[in-house]
Amino acid sequence: MVIISNEKNMSRDDVVELYTSGDEELYTDYDELYQSILGSDYCITVRDENRLVGIIRSNGDGNMNQYIAEIVMHAGYPTHGIGSKLLDTYLNETADVSKIYILSHTHYRTSFAKTWLQYKGFKLLAETESIILYLLDREIKY
């Protein structure tokens, strides 16, 4: 059973298992990563039973701008809709945030990722050899 939560109820071991599930090592300092996750403004997780299988987290100025640090899905769940569940829940949680950015060095460059993010409302703002930048710009009535 898949459970989506906005609580930071994960252990360091949960984080290490998720972030090392794929072929690419995303981080080397998992203590620092774990502390960064706990300190994030927004953090949405997906669990399958007791296993952490997805996370999206962001930081920002509190109300107008949020910067998604990452969207990570467990490599053992490639076509289970985890990414969409994470992003949809995150966008609902941040409904009062007008600008949401995704800045990445390597991820979100595939045609699938670009199409998926555009389908979710993000616009590709810039792409260079080293960086790719997306923006979801929502009109919020304050």
Side-chain angles (χ1 to χ4, degrees), residues 41-98:
D41 292 343
Y42 292 92
C43 179
I44 308 295
T45 60
V46 176
R47 289 188 169 277
D48 183 12
E49 300 296 328
N50 288 324
R51 175 185 252 178
L52 182 65
V53 297
I55 189 169
I56 183 173
R57 65 188 183 95
S58 72
N59 286 299
D61 62 15
N63 61 1
M64 294 185 71
N65 299 286
Q66 280 293 309
Y67 304 88
I68 294 176
E70 59 211 351
I71 305 170
V72 177
M73 284 78 64
H74 194 284
Y77 293 75
T79 58
H80 289 77
I82 303 286
S84 287
K85 288 176 180 143
L86 282 168
L87 189 54
D88 292 346
T89 303
Y90 173 83
L91 294 176
N92 187 48
E93 287 280 321
T94 60
D96 59 340
V97 177
S98 59

Side-chain angles (χ1 to χ4, degrees), residues 16-50:
V16 171
E17 201 242 325
L18 172 63
Y19 281 77
T20 59
S21 69
D23 294 336
E24 183 180 341
E25 187 169 350
L26 301 173
Y27 291 90
T28 55
D29 187 339
Y30 290 101
D31 292 327
E32 185 177 327
L33 171 63
Y34 182 62
Q35 292 306 314
S36 293
I37 291 170
L38 295 179
S40 295
D41 292 343
Y42 292 92
C43 179
I44 308 295
T45 60
V46 176
R47 289 188 169 277
D48 183 12
E49 300 296 328
N50 288 324

